[in-house]
Amino acid sequence: MNTAELLVKCLENEGVEYIFGLPGEENMAVLNALENSSIKFITTRHEQGAAFMADVYGRLTGKPGVCLSTLGPGATNLMTGVADANLDCAPLIAITGQVGTDRMHTNSHQYLDLVAMFEPVTKWNAQVVRPSITPEIVRKAFKLAKSEKPGAVHIDLPENIADMEVDAKPLLIKDDRHPMYASYRSLSEAAILIAQAKNPLILVGNGAIRSHASQAVTDFATRLNIPVANTFMGKGVIPYRHPLALWSLGLQQRDIINCAFDETDLVIAVGYDLIEYSPKKWNPNSTIPIIHIAELSAEVDSSYMPQVEIVGDISDSLVEIMHRCDRTGMPDPHAIALRPQILAAYEQYAHDEGFPIKPQKIVYDLRQVMGAEDVVISDVGAHKMWMARHYHCDRPNTCIISNGFAAMGIAIPGAIAAKLVNPDRKIVAVTGDGGFMMNMQELETATRIGTNFVTLIFNDGGYGLIEWKQQIHYGKSSFIKFGNPDFVKLAESMGLKGYRVNSAIDLMPTLKEALEQNVPAVIDCLVDYRENMRFSRKVGELSCPL
């Protein structure tokens, strides 16, 4: 066999189900090898879409999603999704075609040094310079992509190497995950600090989801009577209906939940990554004592200097601390006093009939039609802030928000991946009109491969999040408005079902009908983003209850 065929066998050996990508001259040998493979190749309409699909596939499954491009412009198109996966800690393998090694020494058509280019946005990357090393490169790529913190790895395959004959086979795979356990000393120190704290608070992040520690976190909080806040990427670790759940922390502006951090005398950070929400936002004076519980030691930050670091399997660490901690105190009364306010803010617009529809109402109605196991993928924009604040989860990985790289255009490709992973669940891509137009071409991909989901567009005719920030900083906005096509006709022209919401009372029945279609559906919903500045003024006047 040739190197390309060996590469495909190595990918099969790793359990790869799908490869997302585009055909090109320099990856033809790989595509040819895939024709007789158990791996399904998903032809996308843009390499960025392919990378986002692999990104969300990796985040939902914990297994590396794989994307493929050709060289040059194909590879540069791939980079945004690769960078997103790397900063969101989603395991991903990016494979690029490349000119032959006999052309790299000269100024060649479409040639870029892709290994150098991908280096800043991956955990590791390498070029296959000899056919015989392919199994080692693939095995190392998957091992690194999955290891904590997960991320992106890049493999570059020159076209002349891809065609060379090789006598080799995939490497034997052993379990990559070898749990590490925290030291007894650190566990005992943490237990003492928790027992002594009067108002402890748990801050949970995406690392708890990656470590499958949701039940352990819930048991820990319940047993020790400690309220829980989650980052945008930690939604669903503790069910949002739990009486100790304080929902999401992470808005750039001060919100009600920040009051809990004003009063706490100990933050127990579980699976929290600084990139999810800067500690300078919740510990600006560096005065709050912190316990760090994660699989890796804490990153150095002047506002995040833990008194104790519990490094090891998160679930095991939480169980061991519970066994050692004799805390009998009640939850922080200041934090618990916030929950009625948080609930009231959530319910405030449940029956609002204003049109265009307020973002809080759109998110509320969406939550009502989605089940506990159903999945929403939020794009990036003003709607993301409202999804983060008002869309609450019973289960992990049922609201996917990119808050590391936070790249616009992820929702539609991400929804395709989510439907492939969860074919029996309802899937909704929530996007602004700006993000929609960045990767709407992948709706053709969705239709072609039969991944039926709903795309819900928050339509305001502009880049709403930037307008919001401009208004806060300058009292005015500039260069953020644009025109839109007729989204209903656009959807119909691509073989989709299109809807336009004309009143607030139409939204929920439209969502329900769209979710029952046997083709992808698009809902155009005018949004009243005057709520953005109303919210900013409200939180600017926020007074925490004593």
Side-chain angles (χ1 to χ4, degrees):
M1 59 184 162
N2 62 28
T3 308
E5 292 166 333
L6 175 60
L7 173 69
V8 169
K9 287 189 179 297
C10 290
L11 296 175
E12 291 171 345
N13 187 53
E14 297 287 347
V16 174
E17 297 178 280
Y18 304 100
I19 296 178
F20 308 97
L22 265 72
E25 289 184 55
E26 286 73 16
N27 63 19
M28 286 193 300
V30 175
L31 294 168
N32 187 60
L34 284 167
E35 283 192 316
N36 298 314
S37 171
S38 60
I39 299 170
K40 185 174 182 180
F41 185 78
I42 305 293
T43 303
T44 64
R45 303 306 301 268
H46 194 283
E47 291 87 355
Q48 186 182 112
F52 280 140
M53 291 175 204
D55 175 354
V56 173
Y57 177 94
R59 187 161 160 187
L60 288 173
T61 66
K63 301 185 296 184
V66 182
C67 52
L68 174 70
S69 79
T70 189
L71 79 173
T76 57
N77 285 345
L78 206 65
M79 280 195 70
T80 296
V82 173
D84 192 86
N86 205 46
L87 289 190
D88 277 1
C89 298
L92 177 146
I93 307 292
I95 302 172
T96 56
Q98 184 56 282
V99 302
T101 55
D102 55 340
R103 288 175 50 198
M104 293 181 185
H105 66 288
T106 188
N107 189 18
S108 295
H109 178 65
Q110 293 189 319
Y111 171 64
L112 291 171
D113 185 343
L114 297 182
V115 174
M117 190 177 77
F118 276 85
E119 193 276 332
V121 298
T122 56
K123 292 181 72 175
W124 178 74
N125 79 133
Q127 185 177 86
V128 181
V129 295
R130 287 191 299 276
S132 61
I133 66 173
T134 302
E136 291 179 354
I137 286 179
V138 173
R139 181 81 282 274
K140 181 175 181 178
F142 276 79
K143 185 173 183 177
L144 289 176
K146 290 190 291 185
S147 63
E148 190 67 20
K149 299 174 187 176
V153 173
H154 167 237
I155 300 173
D156 193 37
L157 180 61
E159 60 178 337
N160 63 332
I161 302 293
D163 287 326
M164 289 181 182
E165 290 189 1
V166 60
D167 183 12
K169 60 183 180 180
L171 298 182
L172 177 67
I173 298 177
K174 295 184 178 180
D175 186 6
D176 288 336
R177 186 172 175 82
H178 303 288
M180 295 176 57
Y181 300 104
S183 70
Y184 291 157
R185 178 177 178 179
S186 63
L187 294 166
S188 297
E189 289 176 352
I192 292 170
L193 287 176
I194 294 169
Q196 293 174 343
K198 294 181 179 179
N199 302 321
L201 187 63
I202 296 169
L203 174 60
V204 66
N206 188 251
I209 295 177
R210 297 194 303 267
S211 298
H212 307 285
S214 175
Q215 190 61 56
V217 172
T218 303
D219 292 345
F220 181 86
T222 305
R223 162 72 175 77
L224 299 181
N225 271 320
I226 304 176
V228 182
N230 59 262
T231 66
F232 291 3
M233 294 175 66
K235 282 178 173 289
V237 171
I238 182 171
Y240 77 97
R241 295 182 179 87
H242 195 288
L244 292 169
L246 297 179
W247 300 355
S248 297
L249 176 78
L251 294 181
Q252 294 300 306
Q253 296 168 280
R254 183 175 172 80
D255 199 1
I256 300 172
I257 193 172
N258 291 90
C259 295
F261 287 81
D262 291 348
E263 299 296 331
T264 187
D265 57 354
L266 179 67
V267 166
I268 306 163
V270 182
Y272 162 73
D273 193 324
L274 276 61
I275 200 170
E276 297 178 54
Y277 186 58
S278 172
K280 289 179 172 59
K281 295 288 186 179
W282 54 266
N283 189 19
N285 300 315
S286 307
T287 55
I288 302 175
I290 297 167
I291 295 174
H292 172 86
I293 303 176
E295 292 192 20
L296 295 178
S297 59
E299 187 173 341
V300 174
D301 186 285
S302 60
S303 294
Y304 193 80
M305 302 294 290
Q307 290 190 252
V308 180
E309 293 193 36
I310 313 295
V311 180
D313 181 85
I314 293 176
S315 294
D316 180 79
S317 296
L318 294 173
V319 170
E320 291 297 326
I321 292 171
M322 279 194 289
H323 289 164
R324 290 166 169 79
C325 186
D326 60 356
R327 171 180 163 77
T328 56
M330 297 303 293
D332 174 12
H334 302 96
I336 295 304
L338 299 176
R339 188 168 166 82
Q341 293 188 48
I342 296 171
L343 287 167
Y346 175 58
E347 297 282 351
Q348 183 178 358
Y349 296 98
H351 304 291
D352 189 274
E353 295 184 0
F355 190 83
I357 308 175
K358 294 178 177 63
Q360 302 97 314
K361 169 66 172 174
I362 300 175
V363 177
Y364 184 90
D365 282 7
L366 176 63
R367 175 68 277 182
Q368 304 315 301
V369 303
M370 298 292 277
E373 299 288 343
D374 297 333
V375 180
V376 297
I377 313 290
S378 175
D379 216 290
V380 175
H383 68 279
K384 185 182 96 167
M385 301 297 105
W386 294 108
M387 287 293 292
R389 191 172 194 259
H390 286 282
Y391 192 91
H392 309 298
C393 302
D394 277 310
R395 308 282 191 277
N397 274 343
T398 53
C399 180
I400 300 299
I401 294 178
S402 171
N403 213 42
F405 198 55
M408 291 180 70
I410 192 174
I412 292 172
I416 292 174
K419 193 64 176 180
L420 289 172
V421 173
N422 303 296
D424 298 325
R425 298 185 190 180
K426 298 174 186 174
I427 309 294
V428 175
V430 179
T431 182
D433 43 1
F436 176 84
M437 292 298 290
M438 289 188 177
N439 272 319
M440 53 74 58
Q441 73 281 349
E442 300 305 341
L443 288 172
E444 188 281 325
T445 306
T447 304
R448 174 169 25 93
I449 67 174
T451 47
N452 303 332
F453 59 87
V454 171
T455 301
L456 175 61
I457 305 172
F458 284 51
N459 184 349
D460 71 321
Y463 294 114
L465 182 59
I466 304 307
E467 180 179 24
W468 188 356
K469 292 189 176 185
Q470 287 177 339
Q471 289 173 338
I472 291 171
H473 285 280
Y474 304 113
K476 61 184 179 65
S477 60
S478 55
F479 312 115
I480 50 84
K481 291 298 182 182
F482 49 70
N484 282 317
D486 184 321
F487 291 128
V488 174
K489 291 181 178 178
L490 178 63
E492 292 172 347
S493 74
M494 300 175 73
L496 284 69
K497 184 72 175 178
Y499 298 88
R500 181 170 292 111
V501 177
N502 295 309
S503 69
I505 61 174
D506 289 341
L507 177 57
M508 194 178 296
T510 301
L511 281 165
K512 290 178 179 178
E513 181 179 335
L515 285 163
E516 294 299 320
Q517 299 302 309
N518 58 6
V519 293
V522 171
I523 301 175
D524 179 9
C525 185
L526 291 178
V527 60
D528 183 1
Y529 272 152
R530 290 178 298 176
E531 287 300 300
N532 296 346
M533 287 306 296
R534 289 171 184 159
F535 172 78
S536 294
R537 287 190 289 270
K538 183 177 180 180
V539 297
E541 300 166 356
L542 178 66
S543 178
C544 296
L546 298 177

